[in-house]
Short mmCIF file of all heavy atoms in Angstrom, two decimals:
data_model
loop_
_atom_site.label_atom_id
_atom_site.label_comp_id
_atom_site.label_asym_id
_atom_site.label_seq_id
_atom_site.Cartn_x
_atom_site.Cartn_y
_atom_site.Cartn_z
N THR A 195 46.24 -101.26 21.15
CA THR A 195 45.52 -101.77 22.36
C THR A 195 45.63 -100.81 23.50
O THR A 195 44.67 -100.47 24.06
CB THR A 195 46.17 -103.18 22.79
OG1 THR A 195 47.61 -102.98 22.96
CG2 THR A 195 45.86 -104.28 21.80
N ARG A 196 46.92 -100.46 23.80
CA ARG A 196 47.08 -99.57 25.03
C ARG A 196 46.45 -98.25 24.79
O ARG A 196 45.97 -97.60 25.71
CB ARG A 196 48.60 -99.47 25.23
CG ARG A 196 48.96 -98.76 26.51
CD ARG A 196 48.61 -99.53 27.79
NE ARG A 196 48.46 -98.71 28.99
CZ ARG A 196 49.40 -97.98 29.53
NH1 ARG A 196 50.69 -98.14 29.07
NH2 ARG A 196 49.12 -97.24 30.59
N LYS A 197 46.60 -97.71 23.60
CA LYS A 197 45.99 -96.40 23.23
C LYS A 197 44.55 -96.46 23.62
O LYS A 197 43.98 -95.52 24.11
CB LYS A 197 46.27 -96.04 21.81
CG LYS A 197 45.67 -94.75 21.30
CD LYS A 197 46.08 -94.45 19.94
CE LYS A 197 45.17 -93.28 19.46
NZ LYS A 197 45.59 -92.82 18.03
N ILE A 198 43.83 -97.58 23.19
CA ILE A 198 42.45 -97.68 23.37
C ILE A 198 42.15 -97.79 24.85
O ILE A 198 41.27 -97.14 25.39
CB ILE A 198 41.88 -98.93 22.54
CG1 ILE A 198 41.90 -98.57 21.05
CG2 ILE A 198 40.44 -99.17 23.03
CD1 ILE A 198 41.69 -99.79 20.14
N THR A 199 42.81 -98.75 25.56
CA THR A 199 42.43 -99.00 26.96
C THR A 199 42.82 -97.75 27.79
O THR A 199 41.89 -97.34 28.66
CB THR A 199 43.13 -100.26 27.60
OG1 THR A 199 44.62 -100.06 27.55
CG2 THR A 199 42.76 -101.50 26.85
N GLN A 200 43.83 -97.01 27.49
CA GLN A 200 44.17 -95.86 28.30
C GLN A 200 43.19 -94.72 28.01
O GLN A 200 42.70 -94.08 28.92
CB GLN A 200 45.63 -95.46 27.96
CG GLN A 200 46.11 -94.33 28.80
CD GLN A 200 47.53 -93.96 28.55
OE1 GLN A 200 47.84 -93.61 27.36
NE2 GLN A 200 48.39 -93.97 29.43
N THR A 201 42.81 -94.45 26.74
CA THR A 201 41.90 -93.42 26.44
C THR A 201 40.48 -93.68 26.90
O THR A 201 39.87 -92.80 27.43
CB THR A 201 41.97 -93.09 24.85
OG1 THR A 201 43.27 -93.02 24.51
CG2 THR A 201 41.24 -91.86 24.51
N VAL A 202 40.05 -94.89 26.75
CA VAL A 202 38.66 -95.20 27.21
C VAL A 202 38.62 -95.04 28.77
O VAL A 202 37.65 -94.44 29.33
CB VAL A 202 38.28 -96.63 26.84
CG1 VAL A 202 36.94 -97.04 27.47
CG2 VAL A 202 38.13 -96.77 25.23
N ALA A 203 39.65 -95.47 29.43
CA ALA A 203 39.63 -95.33 30.95
C ALA A 203 39.62 -93.80 31.25
O ALA A 203 38.89 -93.36 32.17
CB ALA A 203 40.89 -95.88 31.56
N ARG A 204 40.33 -92.95 30.55
CA ARG A 204 40.42 -91.59 30.73
C ARG A 204 39.10 -90.89 30.42
O ARG A 204 38.65 -89.94 31.05
CB ARG A 204 41.59 -90.91 30.04
CG ARG A 204 42.98 -91.33 30.68
CD ARG A 204 44.13 -90.86 29.84
NE ARG A 204 44.22 -89.29 29.82
CZ ARG A 204 44.74 -88.59 30.85
NH1 ARG A 204 45.26 -89.33 31.88
NH2 ARG A 204 44.71 -87.27 30.78
N ILE A 205 38.45 -91.37 29.34
CA ILE A 205 37.08 -90.78 28.96
C ILE A 205 36.14 -91.12 30.15
O ILE A 205 35.42 -90.24 30.63
CB ILE A 205 36.58 -91.38 27.63
CG1 ILE A 205 37.43 -90.90 26.54
CG2 ILE A 205 35.05 -91.02 27.47
CD1 ILE A 205 37.12 -91.55 25.17
N ALA A 206 36.14 -92.33 30.68
CA ALA A 206 35.31 -92.77 31.77
C ALA A 206 35.56 -91.91 33.08
O ALA A 206 34.65 -91.62 33.81
CB ALA A 206 35.45 -94.19 32.08
N ALA A 207 36.74 -91.53 33.26
CA ALA A 207 37.10 -90.76 34.41
C ALA A 207 36.96 -89.20 34.22
O ALA A 207 37.25 -88.44 35.05
CB ALA A 207 38.58 -90.94 34.79
N GLY A 208 36.46 -88.87 33.06
CA GLY A 208 36.21 -87.41 32.72
C GLY A 208 37.49 -86.61 32.42
O GLY A 208 37.52 -85.39 32.48
N LEU A 209 38.55 -87.32 32.10
CA LEU A 209 39.90 -86.60 31.82
C LEU A 209 40.06 -86.31 30.37
O LEU A 209 40.95 -85.44 30.05
CB LEU A 209 41.06 -87.53 32.29
CG LEU A 209 41.12 -87.78 33.84
CD1 LEU A 209 42.10 -88.95 34.08
CD2 LEU A 209 41.46 -86.57 34.54
N THR A 210 39.33 -86.88 29.48
CA THR A 210 39.40 -86.53 28.07
C THR A 210 38.05 -86.93 27.39
O THR A 210 37.17 -87.53 28.04
CB THR A 210 40.61 -87.25 27.39
OG1 THR A 210 40.74 -86.70 26.09
CG2 THR A 210 40.42 -88.78 27.20
N ASP A 211 37.81 -86.37 26.16
CA ASP A 211 36.46 -86.58 25.53
C ASP A 211 36.38 -87.63 24.55
O ASP A 211 35.31 -88.21 24.33
CB ASP A 211 36.11 -85.25 24.90
CG ASP A 211 36.03 -84.16 25.92
OD1 ASP A 211 35.63 -84.44 27.01
OD2 ASP A 211 36.38 -83.00 25.56
N CYS A 212 37.46 -87.90 23.84
CA CYS A 212 37.30 -88.68 22.58
C CYS A 212 38.57 -89.55 22.21
O CYS A 212 39.64 -89.05 22.44
CB CYS A 212 37.06 -87.69 21.47
SG CYS A 212 36.67 -88.39 19.89
#
Side-chain angles (χ1 to χ4, degrees):
T195 51
R196 184 73 202 291
K197 176 174 169 178
I198 292 169
T199 58
Q200 189 178 52
T201 310
V202 170
R204 289 175 66 79
I205 292 171
L209 294 169
T210 192
D211 297 327
C212 186

